[in-house]
Amino acid sequence: MGKINIDRLSGPDPIRAELQRDVKSTGAEAGLNVAKRTPISEDKLEISGRASEVGRLVDQLKALPDVRQPRVDALKEQVAAGTYRPLADDIAGAILKNDRS
């Protein structure tokens, strides 16, 4: 820990200034020169082809609309006209599909 010189208690922050000088001189005395050191290793980021493909597919999915509005509009028209007649097997399959989720 740095020394506190109580004889130099003038100025806005004399204790902090004294501590900073002590730290700087200790580093210089030890012969440390951070600027000249070479890095031990470099960070690398490698993305596999598979990960790139997954990222591309996720972007494509995000671009799709949540609702297929043309399909919804067509079904609404059929219901309103009384022409919408789903098959019983389709209804049962949808119920079973939702039950498993």
Side-chain angles (χ1 to χ4, degrees):
M1 180 158 257
K3 302 175 226 170
I4 299 176
N5 186 350
I6 58 171
D7 295 331
R8 299 185 63 199
L9 292 179
S10 61
D13 201 358
I15 295 174
R16 180 179 300 259
E18 188 66 31
L19 289 174
Q20 288 176 350
R21 267 196 293 289
D22 288 344
V23 170
K24 288 178 184 175
S25 65
T26 303
E29 291 167 4
L32 299 176
N33 191 348
V34 177
K36 291 185 180 179
R37 288 188 178 180
T38 57
I40 295 173
S41 67
E42 294 181 17
D43 293 334
K44 291 183 181 180
L45 174 64
E46 294 181 18
I47 300 175
S48 69
R50 187 84 155 162
S52 296
E53 182 181 357
V54 169
R56 185 180 53 79
L57 292 173
V58 167
D59 290 341
Q60 287 178 355
L61 285 172
K62 287 180 182 178
L64 294 175
D66 290 336
V67 177
R68 297 181 295 169
Q69 197 59 47
R71 176 81 173 133
V72 171
D73 293 341
L75 290 172
K76 281 183 178 181
E77 287 176 16
Q78 289 178 5
V79 169
T83 59
Y84 181 65
R85 305 263 191 262
L87 299 173
D89 289 342
D90 292 340
I91 295 170
I95 290 172
L96 291 174
K97 182 180 176 183
N98 284 334
D99 205 25
R100 292 182 189 144
S101 304

